[in-house]
Amino acid sequence: MPVDMNVAQAFMEQVQEMGKMEVPSKLSDQERVETAKQVIRDGINAQLAIDLEACVHCGLCAEACHFYLASKDPKHTPIRKLDLMKRMYRRERSPARWLYRLFVKDVTIDDLNEWEELVYDSCTVCMRCSLICPMGINIGGGVAVMRAAMRTADLMPVEMRLVGQEQAEKGTIFGVGSEQFVQTLEELRKTGLKIPLDEPEADILVLSAVTDIVLFKDTLVSTIKIMNHIGAKWTFSSQGYESANFGYMTGDQEWQCAASKRVYDAAVACGAKTVIVAECGHSYPTLRWAGAELMGKPLPFEVLAPSEFLGREIQAGRLKVKPIGKQAKFTFHDPCKIGRIGGVVDAPRVVLDALGVDLTETEPHGVENLCCGGGGGNFLITRALPLRLKVFELKMKQFDDTGAEEVVTSCDSCMMNIMAGTMAHQWPKPTHSLMDLVGHHLA
Amino acid sequence: METIAAFLEGPFWYFSAAVFVVGVVGRLALALSLGSSKSLSVPRGSASAGAVRAVFSRFVPRRDFYRRIRLEVIAGYAFHVGLFVLLFFAAPHVEFYKEYILGFGWPTMPRWAFIVVSEIAFAGLIVLWLRRLLHPVSRKLSDAGDHIGSILIFFVMLTGCLALGEDHESLRLIHLFLAQLLLIYFPFSSLMHTFTFVFSRGYIGAGFAHHGVKA
Amino acid sequence: MKTGTTVNRHATRQSTTWLLPVVWLLLTICGTAVAEEQGGGAVPNPGIELWRAVREGPPPGVSRSQVEGIGMTTLIAEGGERWRQLRSNYVAPWGGWALVGMLGVLTLFHLVRKSPERFDGSSGKVIVRFPDYDRILHWFMAGTFLFLAISGLILLLGRYVILPLVGPQAFGAIASASKEGHNLFGPVFIVSLTLFVLRFAQRNFFARGDLAWLAKGGGMLSGKHVSAGFFNAGEKILFWSITFGGLAISISGLILVFPLFGQSRELMQLMLLVHGIAALVLIAFTFGHMYLGSIGLPGSFNAMNTGKVDADWAHAHHDRWHREAEEKGLIEKAPS
Ligand code: HEM
Ligand code: HEM
Ligand code: SF4
Ligand code: SF4
């Protein structure tokens, strides 16, 4: 069930190779600064403006951020990631701008270079800081604007840039496109699996993710088995099959829109009432919460996270599982994009309960769960690996404190990050995908 | 002394009060006027209920966080509660509101309570400010404006207490003058959080609630 | 970046060094003023007279007990009068002069000593000495202490030092403010002292090696470093002086602030004396401490500022603690 570590290793090396590439920008430094400033200026809406006014610089947000907790470096304080935005606000949008201009410094290219690392490498947009902040400041929302600004200024980690561009221009990720997806399904069909593809009509459109095709094929197989098990009228689409959306992670609206549109069109084409995204953390909020805004109207279908879907089917009695038994102790890691941001917290517990496992929760967990450090595209950034591994030590300790022997989660990014940590720290506990766990224990 | 008193209680008082009111309202209005797009996704919970909820629920930190920020929470409460009790229930203040603003007063606290409350507020304020100075995170975050705010509040409170003997007009006027400086400084500083916190908490609460998360 | 910080540090050092003679001068003026008030300050042997006066005080039974005995009225009045004289004739002038003397000694020491070793972070390694909470408590206590010391000294000496300078009207306001301020911050100091003692006591129990440190005078004169643990014997003495001196000041202060329990005038007078003497002793001690904590021992201030000290500083001043930290792997790379 756990992943073939050799495949994982090869995949990671592929990503690392990308990190070594140089992608020159056509923009001059001057242009970079100007475009970035423009995006920041336009991105400051009422909420961010109020937030920037309300922040009392207490620094409590640091105590919630896994990057600060791991590094203890004040530069990783969440609100500092919005420092350039604060300066922009003060100089250009605040009612007291005539005053602030006298002593608040303008944004420079050096600032942008410095902040690139802060908004990509050391923020996973996990929103945990917004839970501790006494003022309730939306730091994650601000970081998203900062990322958009960085993106237009061609200032982002080369890996994210390459993958984002690839997805937008060629429709492939890591060279995996429609062709490869269909090929993979063909191969799986040879094992006797029944796999509906491009059905003209279906109730449910199921998405896959590049990671499931390359790395976690078992999860893909389990997904298919489960869909068949509940007897749903479902289909894959050879056009809209990809959950991952690098536009969302990099902050590029156009890319984001292109990727979401493919899924949208596929769902509309088959008349699906439900779209189930793959276990690919960010894809859930991308479609569930941001999808409607991108399309400019409410989506004509509902969007479910895998764990949400599994929980619902179990409660409805359509999905029957055999108990795993209490011999092994488990703990569950809430992916931040699905728990805190997605709002799906109870469903995975319903599933684990049905599986009858001995579950011990980490402290904290659920909405407050500490991010693993790999989300928001961070997993791709090679230069951020040392910091990520330090973050993972916190996570490892939380897992160890539960006394659990195996970890379950429901997000490929988390899976990959935990695997990287496992390899680096020689940490012996296997990690499972929830979908896969269920797929292997169908009654 | 009389001319100073007349100036502080007359023109300067109206000036500082005006800066305060216009500044606070203007700053809030301009920030809010930037607007935000309405969410089109199907909500999982009521955003407005979440907004109201967050305004109040944020008064109590979550357990996991509380363990890390105990000192800040205790000192924070000591200072803020103390300050508000002093502001609204100290006899000289109520007297001032009655005479200069509202025209009516309300029951006030006895002198001993005034002293105890100000001691609590001072302890809280000093610890908070020291934390701002000494904790590497807040030290780096804080700018001159934050320190000016803390120090100004400190001296307003201090001069108020030093005037407790109520036998020297000069001491009372110093307190009044500093309080007026504070009013003028207020809308230009993060002291604005006195008002903005309602909105910032409301926004985040609404956002989370829309996603079905209680924040 | 690097040069910037060095320059800065240098600048602060210089400005503090300049401050010392200024403060010293100020206090000399104060002292002179007091002396003039006393008629030239020609007291032959103050120490002897002071202690004779103390010994001649009223019978111990009266001074120690809050119970007012029968037939003691006369004694009380007489004793009270004597103590008041004691305060204004001896405690105030000699306390004032003692503080000036302390500053003089420190200045002299600073000028004649060979310049102390600097620890400019060349080792590139630091050790965490005081976490945030420790530092917050230290400055909470130090701040309230200094506020009380200044307002208290105004109450004790202001009549001689400030009154002639600013005139009766302004002095009336200053004295009133000092009294209110002093009474207000007393309880705050008690809170800070309690928290501080609870947090620091454990590290201050005397241990082996402390006697040897004392015997060598902490190496202050020889200029050689003497082996010490986390705190040296001098710091421990400071700590316990502040603990017990602070306790005495607090109890006597509370009795003075709250004459609610029917304290006799007698007791109040005694308490004022205890309070004043204990406060003066502690203030003198803290002069020394403040000197050593800042310009006296370069590198020390970091301990209470950033909480991290240079590893070489630790090795020089607290070698046994340094070794422990080394063994536990607590020596960190200095942040750039
Ligand atoms: C404003 C000037 C002051 C400075 C620069 C200063 C500096 C320091 C420093 C650097 C230390 C740490 C020494 C070490 O690393 O071992 C320290 C400790 C300490 N300070 Fe201060 N301090 C000041 C004022 C005060 C005052 C006014 C008090 C008295 C209330 C005080 C009481 C203490 C005590 C009790 C300790 C701990 C000693 C021990 O526990 O053995 N300090 N101070
Ligand atoms: C370490 C802190 C303190 C210092 C350095 C200090 C110092 C002094 C000094 C020098 C005086 C003048 C003595 C005299 O007039 O003979 C004084 C007076 C006084 N102190 Fe303190 N004191 C301290 C703490 C306290 C505390 C904790 C309290 C009470 C809670 C207190 C209450 C008083 C009172 C009531 C007086 C008499 C003031 C008056 O003349 O009205 N003090 N203090
Ligand atoms: S916790 Fe909130 S108010 Fe405090 S510094 Fe962070 S963002 Fe600002
Ligand atoms: S959103 Fe998460 S990663 Fe980003 S600053 Fe906040 S707590 Fe840290």
mmCIF file with all atom_site columns, all heavy atoms in Angstrom, chain A residues 29-45:
data_model
loop_
_atom_site.group_PDB
_atom_site.id
_atom_site.type_symbol
_atom_site.label_atom_id
_atom_site.label_alt_id
_atom_site.label_comp_id
_atom_site.label_asym_id
_atom_site.label_entity_id
_atom_site.label_seq_id
_atom_site.pdbx_PDB_ins_code
_atom_site.Cartn_x
_atom_site.Cartn_y
_atom_site.Cartn_z
_atom_site.occupancy
_atom_site.B_iso_or_equiv
_atom_site.pdbx_formal_charge
_atom_site.auth_seq_id
_atom_site.auth_comp_id
_atom_site.auth_asym_id
_atom_site.auth_atom_id
_atom_site.pdbx_PDB_model_num
ATOM 1   N N   . ASP A 1 29 ? 14.229  45.485 -13.813 1.00 0.00 ? 29 ASP A N   1
ATOM 2   C CA  . ASP A 1 29 ? 13.934  45.628 -12.387 1.00 0.00 ? 29 ASP A CA  1
ATOM 3   C C   . ASP A 1 29 ? 12.873  46.694 -12.150 1.00 0.00 ? 29 ASP A C   1
ATOM 4   O O   . ASP A 1 29 ? 11.962  46.529 -11.342 1.00 0.00 ? 29 ASP A O   1
ATOM 5   C CB  . ASP A 1 29 ? 15.205  45.989 -11.622 1.00 0.00 ? 29 ASP A CB  1
ATOM 6   C CG  . ASP A 1 29 ? 16.083  44.760 -11.429 1.00 0.00 ? 29 ASP A CG  1
ATOM 7   O OD1 . ASP A 1 29 ? 15.629  43.660 -11.828 1.00 0.00 ? 29 ASP A OD1 1
ATOM 8   O OD2 . ASP A 1 29 ? 17.195  44.900 -10.897 1.00 0.00 ? 29 ASP A OD2 1
ATOM 9   N N   . GLN A 1 30 ? 13.021  47.787 -12.899 1.00 0.00 ? 30 GLN A N   1
ATOM 10  C CA  . GLN A 1 30 ? 12.081  48.879 -12.768 1.00 0.00 ? 30 GLN A CA  1
ATOM 11  C C   . GLN A 1 30 ? 10.656  48.412 -13.061 1.00 0.00 ? 30 GLN A C   1
ATOM 12  O O   . GLN A 1 30 ? 9.721   48.670 -12.296 1.00 0.00 ? 30 GLN A O   1
ATOM 13  C CB  . GLN A 1 30 ? 12.494  49.992 -13.748 1.00 0.00 ? 30 GLN A CB  1
ATOM 14  C CG  . GLN A 1 30 ? 11.650  51.233 -13.705 1.00 0.00 ? 30 GLN A CG  1
ATOM 15  C CD  . GLN A 1 30 ? 11.805  51.935 -12.366 1.00 0.00 ? 30 GLN A CD  1
ATOM 16  O OE1 . GLN A 1 30 ? 12.851  51.822 -11.717 1.00 0.00 ? 30 GLN A OE1 1
ATOM 17  N NE2 . GLN A 1 30 ? 10.760  52.633 -11.944 1.00 0.00 ? 30 GLN A NE2 1
ATOM 18  N N   . GLU A 1 31 ? 10.525  47.666 -14.170 1.00 0.00 ? 31 GLU A N   1
ATOM 19  C CA  . GLU A 1 31 ? 9.202   47.178 -14.543 1.00 0.00 ? 31 GLU A CA  1
ATOM 20  C C   . GLU A 1 31 ? 8.660   46.207 -13.498 1.00 0.00 ? 31 GLU A C   1
ATOM 21  O O   . GLU A 1 31 ? 7.474   46.200 -13.190 1.00 0.00 ? 31 GLU A O   1
ATOM 22  C CB  . GLU A 1 31 ? 9.273   46.472 -15.905 1.00 0.00 ? 31 GLU A CB  1
ATOM 23  C CG  . GLU A 1 31 ? 9.444   47.430 -17.071 1.00 0.00 ? 31 GLU A CG  1
ATOM 24  C CD  . GLU A 1 31 ? 9.845   46.712 -18.353 1.00 0.00 ? 31 GLU A CD  1
ATOM 25  O OE1 . GLU A 1 31 ? 10.604  45.712 -18.280 1.00 0.00 ? 31 GLU A OE1 1
ATOM 26  O OE2 . GLU A 1 31 ? 9.409   47.157 -19.415 1.00 0.00 ? 31 GLU A OE2 1
ATOM 27  N N   . ARG A 1 32 ? 9.555   45.410 -12.974 1.00 0.00 ? 32 ARG A N   1
ATOM 28  C CA  . ARG A 1 32 ? 9.127   44.457 -11.951 1.00 0.00 ? 32 ARG A CA  1
ATOM 29  C C   . ARG A 1 32 ? 8.514   45.180 -10.761 1.00 0.00 ? 32 ARG A C   1
ATOM 30  O O   . ARG A 1 32 ? 7.442   44.837 -10.291 1.00 0.00 ? 32 ARG A O   1
ATOM 31  C CB  . ARG A 1 32 ? 10.326  43.656 -11.462 1.00 0.00 ? 32 ARG A CB  1
ATOM 32  C CG  . ARG A 1 32 ? 10.806  42.669 -12.463 1.00 0.00 ? 32 ARG A CG  1
ATOM 33  C CD  . ARG A 1 32 ? 11.949  41.898 -11.906 1.00 0.00 ? 32 ARG A CD  1
ATOM 34  N NE  . ARG A 1 32 ? 12.157  40.707 -12.714 1.00 0.00 ? 32 ARG A NE  1
ATOM 35  C CZ  . ARG A 1 32 ? 13.017  39.757 -12.428 1.00 0.00 ? 32 ARG A CZ  1
ATOM 36  N NH1 . ARG A 1 32 ? 13.745  39.851 -11.341 1.00 0.00 ? 32 ARG A NH1 1
ATOM 37  N NH2 . ARG A 1 32 ? 13.132  38.718 -13.205 1.00 0.00 ? 32 ARG A NH2 1
ATOM 38  N N   . VAL A 1 33 ? 9.236   46.183 -10.323 1.00 0.00 ? 33 VAL A N   1
ATOM 39  C CA  . VAL A 1 33 ? 8.754   46.917 -9.152  1.00 0.00 ? 33 VAL A CA  1
ATOM 40  C C   . VAL A 1 33 ? 7.397   47.541 -9.466  1.00 0.00 ? 33 VAL A C   1
ATOM 41  O O   . VAL A 1 33 ? 6.446   47.443 -8.687  1.00 0.00 ? 33 VAL A O   1
ATOM 42  C CB  . VAL A 1 33 ? 9.764   47.996 -8.724  1.00 0.00 ? 33 VAL A CB  1
ATOM 43  C CG1 . VAL A 1 33 ? 9.177   48.864 -7.629  1.00 0.00 ? 33 VAL A CG1 1
ATOM 44  C CG2 . VAL A 1 33 ? 11.060  47.362 -8.261  1.00 0.00 ? 33 VAL A CG2 1
ATOM 45  N N   . GLU A 1 34 ? 7.306   48.140 -10.637 1.00 0.00 ? 34 GLU A N   1
ATOM 46  C CA  . GLU A 1 34 ? 6.062   48.826 -10.973 1.00 0.00 ? 34 GLU A CA  1
ATOM 47  C C   . GLU A 1 34 ? 4.880   47.859 -11.050 1.00 0.00 ? 34 GLU A C   1
ATOM 48  O O   . GLU A 1 34 ? 3.823   48.110 -10.471 1.00 0.00 ? 34 GLU A O   1
ATOM 49  C CB  . GLU A 1 34 ? 6.212   49.576 -12.303 1.00 0.00 ? 34 GLU A CB  1
ATOM 50  C CG  . GLU A 1 34 ? 7.034   50.852 -12.194 1.00 0.00 ? 34 GLU A CG  1
ATOM 51  C CD  . GLU A 1 34 ? 6.623   51.706 -10.996 1.00 0.00 ? 34 GLU A CD  1
ATOM 52  O OE1 . GLU A 1 34 ? 5.406   51.901 -10.777 1.00 0.00 ? 34 GLU A OE1 1
ATOM 53  O OE2 . GLU A 1 34 ? 7.529   52.169 -10.266 1.00 0.00 ? 34 GLU A OE2 1
ATOM 54  N N   . THR A 1 35 ? 5.064   46.729 -11.761 1.00 0.00 ? 35 THR A N   1
ATOM 55  C CA  . THR A 1 35 ? 3.935   45.807 -11.881 1.00 0.00 ? 35 THR A CA  1
ATOM 56  C C   . THR A 1 35 ? 3.574   45.221 -10.525 1.00 0.00 ? 35 THR A C   1
ATOM 57  O O   . THR A 1 35 ? 2.398   45.093 -10.191 1.00 0.00 ? 35 THR A O   1
ATOM 58  C CB  . THR A 1 35 ? 4.232   44.652 -12.848 1.00 0.00 ? 35 THR A CB  1
ATOM 59  O OG1 . THR A 1 35 ? 5.492   44.084 -12.489 1.00 0.00 ? 35 THR A OG1 1
ATOM 60  C CG2 . THR A 1 35 ? 4.276   45.115 -14.275 1.00 0.00 ? 35 THR A CG2 1
ATOM 61  N N   . ALA A 1 36 ? 4.594   44.878 -9.751  1.00 0.00 ? 36 ALA A N   1
ATOM 62  C CA  . ALA A 1 36 ? 4.300   44.295 -8.439  1.00 0.00 ? 36 ALA A CA  1
ATOM 63  C C   . ALA A 1 36 ? 3.512   45.284 -7.589  1.00 0.00 ? 36 ALA A C   1
ATOM 64  O O   . ALA A 1 36 ? 2.509   44.942 -6.958  1.00 0.00 ? 36 ALA A O   1
ATOM 65  C CB  . ALA A 1 36 ? 5.595   43.898 -7.734  1.00 0.00 ? 36 ALA A CB  1
ATOM 66  N N   . LYS A 1 37 ? 3.948   46.527 -7.611  1.00 0.00 ? 37 LYS A N   1
ATOM 67  C CA  . LYS A 1 37 ? 3.257   47.539 -6.817  1.00 0.00 ? 37 LYS A CA  1
ATOM 68  C C   . LYS A 1 37 ? 1.811   47.696 -7.269  1.00 0.00 ? 37 LYS A C   1
ATOM 69  O O   . LYS A 1 37 ? 0.893   47.820 -6.455  1.00 0.00 ? 37 LYS A O   1
ATOM 70  C CB  . LYS A 1 37 ? 3.996   48.881 -6.913  1.00 0.00 ? 37 LYS A CB  1
ATOM 71  C CG  . LYS A 1 37 ? 5.170   48.965 -5.952  1.00 0.00 ? 37 LYS A CG  1
ATOM 72  C CD  . LYS A 1 37 ? 6.075   50.152 -6.238  1.00 0.00 ? 37 LYS A CD  1
ATOM 73  C CE  . LYS A 1 37 ? 5.441   51.480 -5.940  1.00 0.00 ? 37 LYS A CE  1
ATOM 74  N NZ  . LYS A 1 37 ? 6.400   52.590 -6.121  1.00 0.00 ? 37 LYS A NZ  1
ATOM 75  N N   . GLN A 1 38 ? 1.657   47.669 -8.575  1.00 0.00 ? 38 GLN A N   1
ATOM 76  C CA  . GLN A 1 38 ? 0.307   47.807 -9.117  1.00 0.00 ? 38 GLN A CA  1
ATOM 77  C C   . GLN A 1 38 ? -0.614  46.702 -8.594  1.00 0.00 ? 38 GLN A C   1
ATOM 78  O O   . GLN A 1 38 ? -1.725  46.963 -8.129  1.00 0.00 ? 38 GLN A O   1
ATOM 79  C CB  . GLN A 1 38 ? 0.387   47.743 -10.654 1.00 0.00 ? 38 GLN A CB  1
ATOM 80  C CG  . GLN A 1 38 ? -0.932  48.000 -11.364 1.00 0.00 ? 38 GLN A CG  1
ATOM 81  C CD  . GLN A 1 38 ? -1.429  49.412 -11.107 1.00 0.00 ? 38 GLN A CD  1
ATOM 82  O OE1 . GLN A 1 38 ? -0.634  50.359 -11.110 1.00 0.00 ? 38 GLN A OE1 1
ATOM 83  N NE2 . GLN A 1 38 ? -2.719  49.565 -10.872 1.00 0.00 ? 38 GLN A NE2 1
ATOM 84  N N   . VAL A 1 39 ? -0.108  45.468 -8.654  1.00 0.00 ? 39 VAL A N   1
ATOM 85  C CA  . VAL A 1 39 ? -0.941  44.346 -8.214  1.00 0.00 ? 39 VAL A CA  1
ATOM 86  C C   . VAL A 1 39 ? -1.248  44.448 -6.719  1.00 0.00 ? 39 VAL A C   1
ATOM 87  O O   . VAL A 1 39 ? -2.375  44.213 -6.279  1.00 0.00 ? 39 VAL A O   1
ATOM 88  C CB  . VAL A 1 39 ? -0.254  43.002 -8.540  1.00 0.00 ? 39 VAL A CB  1
ATOM 89  C CG1 . VAL A 1 39 ? -1.060  41.848 -7.969  1.00 0.00 ? 39 VAL A CG1 1
ATOM 90  C CG2 . VAL A 1 39 ? -0.084  42.850 -10.034 1.00 0.00 ? 39 VAL A CG2 1
ATOM 91  N N   . ILE A 1 40 ? -0.246  44.826 -5.965  1.00 0.00 ? 40 ILE A N   1
ATOM 92  C CA  . ILE A 1 40 ? -0.483  44.946 -4.519  1.00 0.00 ? 40 ILE A CA  1
ATOM 93  C C   . ILE A 1 40 ? -1.532  46.033 -4.272  1.00 0.00 ? 40 ILE A C   1
ATOM 94  O O   . ILE A 1 40 ? -2.495  45.842 -3.532  1.00 0.00 ? 40 ILE A O   1
ATOM 95  C CB  . ILE A 1 40 ? 0.815   45.302 -3.767  1.00 0.00 ? 40 ILE A CB  1
ATOM 96  C CG1 . ILE A 1 40 ? 1.848   44.189 -3.939  1.00 0.00 ? 40 ILE A CG1 1
ATOM 97  C CG2 . ILE A 1 40 ? 0.528   45.516 -2.290  1.00 0.00 ? 40 ILE A CG2 1
ATOM 98  C CD1 . ILE A 1 40 ? 3.198   44.505 -3.323  1.00 0.00 ? 40 ILE A CD1 1
ATOM 99  N N   . ARG A 1 41 ? -1.333  47.165 -4.932  1.00 0.00 ? 41 ARG A N   1
ATOM 100 C CA  . ARG A 1 41 ? -2.246  48.298 -4.731  1.00 0.00 ? 41 ARG A CA  1
ATOM 101 C C   . ARG A 1 41 ? -3.682  47.866 -5.045  1.00 0.00 ? 41 ARG A C   1
ATOM 102 O O   . ARG A 1 41 ? -4.598  48.100 -4.268  1.00 0.00 ? 41 ARG A O   1
ATOM 103 C CB  . ARG A 1 41 ? -1.817  49.450 -5.639  1.00 0.00 ? 41 ARG A CB  1
ATOM 104 C CG  . ARG A 1 41 ? -2.367  50.780 -5.233  1.00 0.00 ? 41 ARG A CG  1
ATOM 105 C CD  . ARG A 1 41 ? -1.927  51.863 -6.207  1.00 0.00 ? 41 ARG A CD  1
ATOM 106 N NE  . ARG A 1 41 ? -0.478  52.011 -6.307  1.00 0.00 ? 41 ARG A NE  1
ATOM 107 C CZ  . ARG A 1 41 ? 0.222   51.960 -7.446  1.00 0.00 ? 41 ARG A CZ  1
ATOM 108 N NH1 . ARG A 1 41 ? -0.397  51.783 -8.585  1.00 0.00 ? 41 ARG A NH1 1
ATOM 109 N NH2 . ARG A 1 41 ? 1.522   52.107 -7.443  1.00 0.00 ? 41 ARG A NH2 1
ATOM 110 N N   . ASP A 1 42 ? -3.844  47.199 -6.158  1.00 0.00 ? 42 ASP A N   1
ATOM 111 C CA  . ASP A 1 42 ? -5.188  46.803 -6.553  1.00 0.00 ? 42 ASP A CA  1
ATOM 112 C C   . ASP A 1 42 ? -5.744  45.687 -5.675  1.00 0.00 ? 42 ASP A C   1
ATOM 113 O O   . ASP A 1 42 ? -6.948  45.504 -5.578  1.00 0.00 ? 42 ASP A O   1
ATOM 114 C CB  . ASP A 1 42 ? -5.190  46.328 -8.014  1.00 0.00 ? 42 ASP A CB  1
ATOM 115 C CG  . ASP A 1 42 ? -4.855  47.470 -8.956  1.00 0.00 ? 42 ASP A CG  1
ATOM 116 O OD1 . ASP A 1 42 ? -4.891  48.628 -8.495  1.00 0.00 ? 42 ASP A OD1 1
ATOM 117 O OD2 . ASP A 1 42 ? -4.552  47.202 -10.136 1.00 0.00 ? 42 ASP A OD2 1
ATOM 118 N N   . GLY A 1 43 ? -4.832  44.933 -5.084  1.00 0.00 ? 43 GLY A N   1
ATOM 119 C CA  . GLY A 1 43 ? -5.287  43.792 -4.294  1.00 0.00 ? 43 GLY A CA  1
ATOM 120 C C   . GLY A 1 43 ? -5.791  44.171 -2.915  1.00 0.00 ? 43 GLY A C   1
ATOM 121 O O   . GLY A 1 43 ? -6.419  43.366 -2.222  1.00 0.00 ? 43 GLY A O   1
ATOM 122 N N   . ILE A 1 44 ? -5.508  45.383 -2.490  1.00 0.00 ? 44 ILE A N   1
ATOM 123 C CA  . ILE A 1 44 ? -5.920  45.778 -1.147  1.00 0.00 ? 44 ILE A CA  1
ATOM 124 C C   . ILE A 1 44 ? -7.401  46.139 -1.162  1.00 0.00 ? 44 ILE A C   1
ATOM 125 O O   . ILE A 1 44 ? -7.784  47.213 -1.610  1.00 0.00 ? 44 ILE A O   1
ATOM 126 C CB  . ILE A 1 44 ? -5.086  46.960 -0.632  1.00 0.00 ? 44 ILE A CB  1
ATOM 127 C CG1 . ILE A 1 44 ? -3.601  46.579 -0.591  1.00 0.00 ? 44 ILE A CG1 1
ATOM 128 C CG2 . ILE A 1 44 ? -5.550  47.373 0.754   1.00 0.00 ? 44 ILE A CG2 1
ATOM 129 C CD1 . ILE A 1 44 ? -2.694  47.721 -0.203  1.00 0.00 ? 44 ILE A CD1 1
ATOM 130 N N   . ASN A 1 45 ? -8.212  45.238 -0.685  1.00 0.00 ? 45 ASN A N   1
ATOM 131 C CA  . ASN A 1 45 ? -9.642  45.535 -0.603  1.00 0.00 ? 45 ASN A CA  1
ATOM 132 C C   . ASN A 1 45 ? -9.975  46.016 0.811   1.00 0.00 ? 45 ASN A C   1
ATOM 133 O O   . ASN A 1 45 ? -9.079  46.233 1.631   1.00 0.00 ? 45 ASN A O   1
ATOM 134 C CB  . ASN A 1 45 ? -10.459 44.302 -0.997  1.00 0.00 ? 45 ASN A CB  1
ATOM 135 C CG  . ASN A 1 45 ? -10.177 43.124 -0.081  1.00 0.00 ? 45 ASN A CG  1
ATOM 136 O OD1 . ASN A 1 45 ? -9.492  43.266 0.938   1.00 0.00 ? 45 ASN A OD1 1
ATOM 137 N ND2 . ASN A 1 45 ? -10.707 41.972 -0.428  1.00 0.00 ? 45 ASN A ND2 1
#
